[in-house]
Structures are given as structure tokens and as C-alpha cells.
Amino acid sequence: MSAYFVAHFVVKDQAKLATYAQAAAPIMASFGGELLFKGVPIKVFTGTDPLPGTAVFRFPDQDKLNAFYQSPEYQALTAAREAGANMVLSAFDAA
């Protein structure tokens, strides 16, 4: 069953976030992860979102997602991620 890795974020430094994303992409792909979409809402119907950016990635299953997140290669990017954006990262199973 597919698993989804969701990032909610607000950019602190666009250049640093781009560097992080460029480094993370091949690591994610090596675990079968693929970007489904990334962006900010064009309209908010209700409420206020302090982290308006969203990126959604699909993995083959939760084991691959967990292996990606816990991999030494991805964990080495923690400082770069935190320098580029404030993020909340979550994992979901497909319904």
C-alpha cells in the first residue's frame, strides 16, 4: 500500500531550501519516493495556516518511507532543511 510523506513549510531562505531539495531528491528517489505536488494555496477557504507551503511525496510503502527518512544520507541534510524552512513532516498511509 502506498505511503505519503507530507511536508508543511514556510520558507526562511529560498536558496538554502533549494540546495536542500536538490540534495534530498535523489535520496528520496533511491527509496522509491516521487514528488506528487508542491506549492502554496491559491486560496484559503477557512482558517489560518502558519505553514502554507505543502509538498506531497508518494512511496511504495511505509517501510520505504521510514527507511528514507531514517537513512544516514537524509539525516545528514537536517541542518540544511532547518536553514531553508520551518517544516512539519508527517507520514500517511493511503486510505
Side-chain angles (χ1 to χ4, degrees):
M1 177 186 331
S2 293
Y4 297 88
F5 182 65
V6 178
H8 291 284
F9 60 92
V10 64
V11 177
K12 294 192 293 191
D13 184 311
Q14 187 64 46
K16 289 179 181 177
L17 182 59
T19 299
Y20 155 77
Q22 190 173 34
I27 299 167
M28 186 173 291
S30 74
F31 289 92
E34 64 176 318
L35 175 65
L36 297 181
F37 75 87
K38 176 174 69 172
V40 295
I42 57 171
K43 184 173 187 171
V44 175
F45 291 104
T46 185
T48 304
D49 190 349
L51 302 173
T54 301
V56 178
F57 304 86
R58 179 174 49 216
F59 283 81
D61 54 42
Q62 199 63 238
D63 288 340
K64 290 283 190 181
L65 190 162
N66 289 332
F68 153 72
Y69 186 79
Q70 295 170 2
S71 71
E73 298 85 1
Y74 182 69
Q75 287 300 310
L77 299 177
T78 300
R81 183 182 69 225
E82 291 173 357
N86 290 329
M87 286 192 191
V88 172
L89 304 174
S90 303
F92 295 84
D93 280 330

PDB file of all heavy atoms in Angstrom, residues 18-45:
ATOM      1  N   ALA A  18      16.367  25.459  -1.649  1.00  0.00           N
ATOM      2  CA  ALA A  18      16.627  24.859  -2.960  1.00  0.00           C
ATOM      3  C   ALA A  18      17.808  23.892  -2.900  1.00  0.00           C
ATOM      4  O   ALA A  18      17.760  22.807  -3.504  1.00  0.00           O
ATOM      5  CB  ALA A  18      16.868  25.950  -4.001  1.00  0.00           C
ATOM      6  N   THR A  19      18.843  24.252  -2.168  1.00  0.00           N
ATOM      7  CA  THR A  19      20.003  23.375  -2.011  1.00  0.00           C
ATOM      8  C   THR A  19      19.599  22.083  -1.304  1.00  0.00           C
ATOM      9  O   THR A  19      19.989  20.983  -1.713  1.00  0.00           O
ATOM     10  CB  THR A  19      21.124  24.097  -1.233  1.00  0.00           C
ATOM     11  OG1 THR A  19      21.521  25.252  -1.981  1.00  0.00           O
ATOM     12  CG2 THR A  19      22.319  23.196  -0.985  1.00  0.00           C
ATOM     13  N   TYR A  20      18.809  22.202  -0.236  1.00  0.00           N
ATOM     14  CA  TYR A  20      18.302  21.027   0.486  1.00  0.00           C
ATOM     15  C   TYR A  20      17.467  20.152  -0.446  1.00  0.00           C
ATOM     16  O   TYR A  20      17.675  18.933  -0.513  1.00  0.00           O
ATOM     17  CB  TYR A  20      17.462  21.466   1.693  1.00  0.00           C
ATOM     18  CG  TYR A  20      16.458  20.442   2.121  1.00  0.00           C
ATOM     19  CD1 TYR A  20      16.839  19.313   2.841  1.00  0.00           C
ATOM     20  CD2 TYR A  20      15.109  20.581   1.791  1.00  0.00           C
ATOM     21  CE1 TYR A  20      15.917  18.350   3.218  1.00  0.00           C
ATOM     22  CE2 TYR A  20      14.184  19.626   2.169  1.00  0.00           C
ATOM     23  CZ  TYR A  20      14.589  18.514   2.875  1.00  0.00           C
ATOM     24  OH  TYR A  20      13.669  17.567   3.244  1.00  0.00           O
ATOM     25  N   ALA A  21      16.538  20.750  -1.168  1.00  0.00           N
ATOM     26  CA  ALA A  21      15.639  19.986  -2.039  1.00  0.00           C
ATOM     27  C   ALA A  21      16.423  19.257  -3.120  1.00  0.00           C
ATOM     28  O   ALA A  21      16.132  18.093  -3.432  1.00  0.00           O
ATOM     29  CB  ALA A  21      14.598  20.908  -2.654  1.00  0.00           C
ATOM     30  N   GLN A  22      17.411  19.912  -3.683  1.00  0.00           N
ATOM     31  CA  GLN A  22      18.231  19.296  -4.720  1.00  0.00           C
ATOM     32  C   GLN A  22      19.010  18.099  -4.166  1.00  0.00           C
ATOM     33  O   GLN A  22      19.155  17.086  -4.843  1.00  0.00           O
ATOM     34  CB  GLN A  22      19.175  20.336  -5.305  1.00  0.00           C
ATOM     35  CG  GLN A  22      19.900  19.890  -6.550  1.00  0.00           C
ATOM     36  CD  GLN A  22      20.681  21.032  -7.180  1.00  0.00           C
ATOM     37  OE1 GLN A  22      21.208  21.904  -6.487  1.00  0.00           O
ATOM     38  NE2 GLN A  22      20.744  21.034  -8.490  1.00  0.00           N
ATOM     39  N   ALA A  23      19.488  18.199  -2.954  1.00  0.00           N
ATOM     40  CA  ALA A  23      20.222  17.089  -2.334  1.00  0.00           C
ATOM     41  C   ALA A  23      19.284  15.958  -1.904  1.00  0.00           C
ATOM     42  O   ALA A  23      19.647  14.780  -1.977  1.00  0.00           O
ATOM     43  CB  ALA A  23      21.015  17.600  -1.136  1.00  0.00           C
ATOM     44  N   ALA A  24      18.080  16.300  -1.445  1.00  0.00           N
ATOM     45  CA  ALA A  24      17.141  15.292  -0.951  1.00  0.00           C
ATOM     46  C   ALA A  24      16.497  14.485  -2.075  1.00  0.00           C
ATOM     47  O   ALA A  24      16.186  13.301  -1.887  1.00  0.00           O
ATOM     48  CB  ALA A  24      16.061  15.956  -0.098  1.00  0.00           C
ATOM     49  N   ALA A  25      16.291  15.088  -3.224  1.00  0.00           N
ATOM     50  CA  ALA A  25      15.554  14.428  -4.313  1.00  0.00           C
ATOM     51  C   ALA A  25      16.151  13.080  -4.722  1.00  0.00           C
ATOM     52  O   ALA A  25      15.402  12.084  -4.817  1.00  0.00           O
ATOM     53  CB  ALA A  25      15.429  15.367  -5.506  1.00  0.00           C
ATOM     54  N   PRO A  26      17.454  12.982  -4.987  1.00  0.00           N
ATOM     55  CA  PRO A  26      17.967  11.667  -5.393  1.00  0.00           C
ATOM     56  C   PRO A  26      17.941  10.630  -4.261  1.00  0.00           C
ATOM     57  O   PRO A  26      17.799   9.431  -4.526  1.00  0.00           O
ATOM     58  CB  PRO A  26      19.399  11.947  -5.859  1.00  0.00           C
ATOM     59  CG  PRO A  26      19.762  13.273  -5.280  1.00  0.00           C
ATOM     60  CD  PRO A  26      18.479  14.014  -5.092  1.00  0.00           C
ATOM     61  N   ILE A  27      18.056  11.079  -3.034  1.00  0.00           N
ATOM     62  CA  ILE A  27      17.967  10.150  -1.897  1.00  0.00           C
ATOM     63  C   ILE A  27      16.550   9.590  -1.837  1.00  0.00           C
ATOM     64  O   ILE A  27      16.341   8.375  -1.719  1.00  0.00           O
ATOM     65  CB  ILE A  27      18.333  10.853  -0.570  1.00  0.00           C
ATOM     66  CG1 ILE A  27      19.764  11.383  -0.621  1.00  0.00           C
ATOM     67  CG2 ILE A  27      18.148   9.893   0.615  1.00  0.00           C
ATOM     68  CD1 ILE A  27      20.098  12.353   0.498  1.00  0.00           C
ATOM     69  N   MET A  28      15.572  10.482  -1.935  1.00  0.00           N
ATOM     70  CA  MET A  28      14.177  10.061  -1.912  1.00  0.00           C
ATOM     71  C   MET A  28      13.897   9.087  -3.060  1.00  0.00           C
ATOM     72  O   MET A  28      13.269   8.038  -2.851  1.00  0.00           O
ATOM     73  CB  MET A  28      13.287  11.299  -2.033  1.00  0.00           C
ATOM     74  CG  MET A  28      11.819  11.014  -1.891  1.00  0.00           C
ATOM     75  SD  MET A  28      10.881  12.531  -1.856  1.00  0.00           S
ATOM     76  CE  MET A  28      11.390  13.178  -0.276  1.00  0.00           C
ATOM     77  N   ALA A  29      14.369   9.420  -4.258  1.00  0.00           N
ATOM     78  CA  ALA A  29      14.131   8.558  -5.421  1.00  0.00           C
ATOM     79  C   ALA A  29      14.737   7.173  -5.227  1.00  0.00           C
ATOM     80  O   ALA A  29      14.166   6.167  -5.671  1.00  0.00           O
ATOM     81  CB  ALA A  29      14.683   9.219  -6.675  1.00  0.00           C
ATOM     82  N   SER A  30      15.873   7.093  -4.538  1.00  0.00           N
ATOM     83  CA  SER A  30      16.517   5.796  -4.326  1.00  0.00           C
ATOM     84  C   SER A  30      15.676   4.872  -3.439  1.00  0.00           C
ATOM     85  O   SER A  30      15.883   3.658  -3.450  1.00  0.00           O
ATOM     86  CB  SER A  30      17.919   5.977  -3.743  1.00  0.00           C
ATOM     87  OG  SER A  30      17.873   6.343  -2.378  1.00  0.00           O
ATOM     88  N   PHE A  31      14.724   5.438  -2.699  1.00  0.00           N
ATOM     89  CA  PHE A  31      13.808   4.645  -1.873  1.00  0.00           C
ATOM     90  C   PHE A  31      12.422   4.537  -2.515  1.00  0.00           C
ATOM     91  O   PHE A  31      11.455   4.126  -1.872  1.00  0.00           O
ATOM     92  CB  PHE A  31      13.692   5.255  -0.468  1.00  0.00           C
ATOM     93  CG  PHE A  31      14.942   5.076   0.353  1.00  0.00           C
ATOM     94  CD1 PHE A  31      15.933   6.040   0.355  1.00  0.00           C
ATOM     95  CD2 PHE A  31      15.136   3.931   1.109  1.00  0.00           C
ATOM     96  CE1 PHE A  31      17.093   5.891   1.106  1.00  0.00           C
ATOM     97  CE2 PHE A  31      16.296   3.763   1.860  1.00  0.00           C
ATOM     98  CZ  PHE A  31      17.275   4.732   1.855  1.00  0.00           C
ATOM     99  N   GLY A  32      12.317   4.949  -3.777  1.00  0.00           N
ATOM    100  CA  GLY A  32      11.048   4.848  -4.498  1.00  0.00           C
ATOM    101  C   GLY A  32      10.125   6.021  -4.300  1.00  0.00           C
ATOM    102  O   GLY A  32       8.964   5.970  -4.705  1.00  0.00           O
ATOM    103  N   GLY A  33      10.613   7.099  -3.683  1.00  0.00           N
ATOM    104  CA  GLY A  33       9.775   8.271  -3.455  1.00  0.00           C
ATOM    105  C   GLY A  33       9.657   9.132  -4.698  1.00  0.00           C
ATOM    106  O   GLY A  33      10.622   9.270  -5.453  1.00  0.00           O
ATOM    107  N   GLU A  34       8.469   9.689  -4.901  1.00  0.00           N
ATOM    108  CA  GLU A  34       8.249  10.592  -6.021  1.00  0.00           C
ATOM    109  C   GLU A  34       7.406  11.779  -5.573  1.00  0.00           C
ATOM    110  O   GLU A  34       6.458  11.631  -4.799  1.00  0.00           O
ATOM    111  CB  GLU A  34       7.575   9.883  -7.190  1.00  0.00           C
ATOM    112  CG  GLU A  34       6.185   9.374  -6.869  1.00  0.00           C
ATOM    113  CD  GLU A  34       5.479   8.759  -8.057  1.00  0.00           C
ATOM    114  OE1 GLU A  34       5.572   9.321  -9.165  1.00  0.00           O
ATOM    115  OE2 GLU A  34       4.821   7.730  -7.865  1.00  0.00           O
ATOM    116  N   LEU A  35       7.765  12.952  -6.075  1.00  0.00           N
ATOM    117  CA  LEU A  35       7.015  14.164  -5.763  1.00  0.00           C
ATOM    118  C   LEU A  35       5.696  14.140  -6.511  1.00  0.00           C
ATOM    119  O   LEU A  35       5.669  13.983  -7.736  1.00  0.00           O
ATOM    120  CB  LEU A  35       7.822  15.404  -6.171  1.00  0.00           C
ATOM    121  CG  LEU A  35       7.122  16.753  -6.010  1.00  0.00           C
ATOM    122  CD1 LEU A  35       6.848  17.067  -4.540  1.00  0.00           C
ATOM    123  CD2 LEU A  35       7.970  17.854  -6.645  1.00  0.00           C
ATOM    124  N   LEU A  36       4.588  14.309  -5.781  1.00  0.00           N
ATOM    125  CA  LEU A  36       3.276  14.410  -6.413  1.00  0.00           C
ATOM    126  C   LEU A  36       2.910  15.858  -6.672  1.00  0.00           C
ATOM    127  O   LEU A  36       2.397  16.191  -7.732  1.00  0.00           O
ATOM    128  CB  LEU A  36       2.202  13.738  -5.553  1.00  0.00           C
ATOM    129  CG  LEU A  36       2.367  12.244  -5.342  1.00  0.00           C
ATOM    130  CD1 LEU A  36       1.218  11.696  -4.496  1.00  0.00           C
ATOM    131  CD2 LEU A  36       2.444  11.509  -6.678  1.00  0.00           C
ATOM    132  N   PHE A  37       3.119  16.720  -5.681  1.00  0.00           N
ATOM    133  CA  PHE A  37       2.933  18.152  -5.903  1.00  0.00           C
ATOM    134  C   PHE A  37       3.595  18.951  -4.807  1.00  0.00           C
ATOM    135  O   PHE A  37       3.850  18.463  -3.714  1.00  0.00           O
ATOM    136  CB  PHE A  37       1.454  18.536  -6.049  1.00  0.00           C
ATOM    137  CG  PHE A  37       0.675  18.558  -4.768  1.00  0.00           C
ATOM    138  CD1 PHE A  37       0.626  19.697  -3.972  1.00  0.00           C
ATOM    139  CD2 PHE A  37      -0.030  17.454  -4.357  1.00  0.00           C
ATOM    140  CE1 PHE A  37      -0.098  19.724  -2.801  1.00  0.00           C
ATOM    141  CE2 PHE A  37      -0.775  17.470  -3.179  1.00  0.00           C
ATOM    142  CZ  PHE A  37      -0.802  18.611  -2.406  1.00  0.00           C
ATOM    143  N   LYS A  38       3.873  20.226  -5.147  1.00  0.00           N
ATOM    144  CA  LYS A  38       4.461  21.160  -4.196  1.00  0.00           C
ATOM    145  C   LYS A  38       3.924  22.537  -4.525  1.00  0.00           C
ATOM    146  O   LYS A  38       3.834  22.920  -5.694  1.00  0.00           O
ATOM    147  CB  LYS A  38       5.987  21.145  -4.311  1.00  0.00           C
ATOM    148  CG  LYS A  38       6.688  22.157  -3.420  1.00  0.00           C
ATOM    149  CD  LYS A  38       8.195  22.013  -3.470  1.00  0.00           C
ATOM    150  CE  LYS A  38       8.736  22.416  -4.812  1.00  0.00           C
ATOM    151  NZ  LYS A  38      10.202  22.474  -4.867  1.00  0.00           N
ATOM    152  N   GLY A  39       3.539  23.280  -3.497  1.00  0.00           N
ATOM    153  CA  GLY A  39       3.080  24.640  -3.739  1.00  0.00           C
ATOM    154  C   GLY A  39       2.469  25.263  -2.501  1.00  0.00           C
ATOM    155  O   GLY A  39       2.532  24.710  -1.407  1.00  0.00           O
ATOM    156  N   VAL A  40       1.911  26.439  -2.722  1.00  0.00           N
ATOM    157  CA  VAL A  40       1.177  27.153  -1.677  1.00  0.00           C
ATOM    158  C   VAL A  40      -0.249  27.332  -2.171  1.00  0.00           C
ATOM    159  O   VAL A  40      -0.490  27.361  -3.377  1.00  0.00           O
ATOM    160  CB  VAL A  40       1.826  28.517  -1.340  1.00  0.00           C
ATOM    161  CG1 VAL A  40       3.204  28.329  -0.738  1.00  0.00           C
ATOM    162  CG2 VAL A  40       1.896  29.403  -2.559  1.00  0.00           C
ATOM    163  N   PRO A  41      -1.199  27.441  -1.272  1.00  0.00           N
ATOM    164  CA  PRO A  41      -2.590  27.561  -1.701  1.00  0.00           C
ATOM    165  C   PRO A  41      -2.824  28.842  -2.510  1.00  0.00           C
ATOM    166  O   PRO A  41      -2.247  29.881  -2.209  1.00  0.00           O
ATOM    167  CB  PRO A  41      -3.389  27.617  -0.394  1.00  0.00           C
ATOM    168  CG  PRO A  41      -2.437  27.381   0.709  1.00  0.00           C
ATOM    169  CD  PRO A  41      -1.054  27.468   0.178  1.00  0.00           C
ATOM    170  N   ILE A  42      -3.666  28.722  -3.510  1.00  0.00           N
ATOM    171  CA  ILE A  42      -4.073  29.914  -4.247  1.00  0.00           C
ATOM    172  C   ILE A  42      -5.220  30.617  -3.526  1.00  0.00           C
ATOM    173  O   ILE A  42      -5.480  31.779  -3.754  1.00  0.00           O
ATOM    174  CB  ILE A  42      -4.476  29.595  -5.700  1.00  0.00           C
ATOM    175  CG1 ILE A  42      -5.599  28.566  -5.738  1.00  0.00           C
ATOM    176  CG2 ILE A  42      -3.263  29.114  -6.476  1.00  0.00           C
ATOM    177  CD1 ILE A  42      -6.203  28.363  -7.109  1.00  0.00           C
ATOM    178  N   LYS A  43      -5.872  29.860  -2.634  1.00  0.00           N
ATOM    179  CA  LYS A  43      -6.958  30.421  -1.837  1.00  0.00           C
ATOM    180  C   LYS A  43      -7.111  29.586  -0.576  1.00  0.00           C
ATOM    181  O   LYS A  43      -7.038  28.365  -0.632  1.00  0.00           O
ATOM    182  CB  LYS A  43      -8.262  30.405  -2.638  1.00  0.00           C
ATOM    183  CG  LYS A  43      -9.416  31.046  -1.923  1.00  0.00           C
ATOM    184  CD  LYS A  43     -10.628  31.145  -2.828  1.00  0.00           C
ATOM    185  CE  LYS A  43     -11.705  31.950  -2.150  1.00  0.00           C
ATOM    186  NZ  LYS A  43     -12.796  32.247  -3.057  1.00  0.00           N
ATOM    187  N   VAL A  44      -7.305  30.251   0.562  1.00  0.00           N
ATOM    188  CA  VAL A  44      -7.591  29.567   1.822  1.00  0.00           C
ATOM    189  C   VAL A  44      -9.053  29.839   2.137  1.00  0.00           C
ATOM    190  O   VAL A  44      -9.461  30.990   2.275  1.00  0.00           O
ATOM    191  CB  VAL A  44      -6.672  30.070   2.961  1.00  0.00           C
ATOM    192  CG1 VAL A  44      -7.071  29.431   4.287  1.00  0.00           C
ATOM    193  CG2 VAL A  44      -5.222  29.773   2.642  1.00  0.00           C
ATOM    194  N   PHE A  45      -9.850  28.793   2.217  1.00  0.00           N
ATOM    195  CA  PHE A  45     -11.276  28.956   2.437  1.00  0.00           C
ATOM    196  C   PHE A  45     -11.635  29.226   3.889  1.00  0.00           C
ATOM    197  O   PHE A  45     -12.588  29.939   4.167  1.00  0.00           O
ATOM    198  CB  PHE A  45     -12.033  27.722   1.938  1.00  0.00           C
ATOM    199  CG  PHE A  45     -12.011  27.602   0.447  1.00  0.00           C
ATOM    200  CD1 PHE A  45     -11.195  26.679  -0.179  1.00  0.00           C
ATOM    201  CD2 PHE A  45     -12.794  28.433  -0.340  1.00  0.00           C
ATOM    202  CE1 PHE A  45     -11.164  26.578  -1.556  1.00  0.00           C
ATOM    203  CE2 PHE A  45     -12.772  28.346  -1.715  1.00  0.00           C
ATOM    204  CZ  PHE A  45     -11.955  27.418  -2.327  1.00  0.00           C
TER     205      PHE A  45
END
